[in-house]
């Protein structure tokens, strides 16, 4: 790995750390906040993930938004945020990884 690759890895790790902190902050306030009020925070995470090529996180953020639109709130949001955190941490950014997360989200949304 060259110097540029190391810098890119460091930058991506900083983005992941920022997203993880944002997810943790949402998780803390989720039990006391209306679902609609969480949606802007999820949208910010989706936009940042998209900008940095964290494709599974973008996929899961869309599903979290759908769950919030359905009115899921409180403790139910914790599971969604956990899955979003897993997607942010995922090393794979290919279509198959996105499909795997989408399938898991679909099952969760259907239950």
């Amino acid at each position: 790995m060259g110097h540029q690759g190391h810098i890119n890895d460091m930058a991506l790790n900083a983005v992941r750390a920022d997203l993880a902190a944002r997810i943790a902050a949402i998780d803390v306030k989720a039990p006391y906040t209306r679902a609609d009020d969480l949606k802007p925070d999820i949208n910010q995470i989706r936009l940042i993930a998209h900008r940095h090529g964290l494709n599974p996180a973008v996929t899961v953020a869309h599903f979290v938004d759908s769950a919030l639109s359905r009115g899921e709130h409180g403790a139910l949001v914790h599971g969604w945020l956990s899955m979003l955190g897993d997607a942010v941490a995922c090393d794979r950014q290919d279509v198959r990884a996105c499909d795997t997360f989408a399938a898991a989200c679909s099952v969760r949304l259907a239950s």
Side-chain angles (χ1 to χ4, degrees), residues 11-101:
L12 189 56
N13 287 339
V15 169
R16 284 187 167 129
D18 174 58
L19 292 176
R22 289 171 184 264
I23 292 166
I26 296 168
D27 200 23
V28 167
K29 71 180 183 179
Y32 315 102
T33 307
R34 293 179 335 120
D36 282 347
D37 293 338
L38 297 176
K39 290 177 76 165
D41 295 329
I42 297 299
N43 189 49
Q44 272 303 113
I45 288 171
R46 183 188 59 77
L47 291 171
I48 294 166
H50 178 71
R51 188 176 317 126
H52 295 281
L54 297 172
N55 300 322
V58 173
T59 298
V60 174
H62 282 294
F63 278 95
V64 174
D65 187 65
S66 293
L68 293 172
S69 293
R70 284 183 9 172
E72 289 193 25
H73 61 281
L76 294 174
V77 176
H78 175 74
W80 284 107
L81 295 173
S82 177
M83 192 176 302
L84 183 55
D86 290 345
V88 165
C90 182
D91 288 331
R92 292 183 44 202
Q93 305 305 317
D94 56 30
V95 172
R96 199 162 173 189
C98 293
D99 288 347
T100 300
F101 275 100

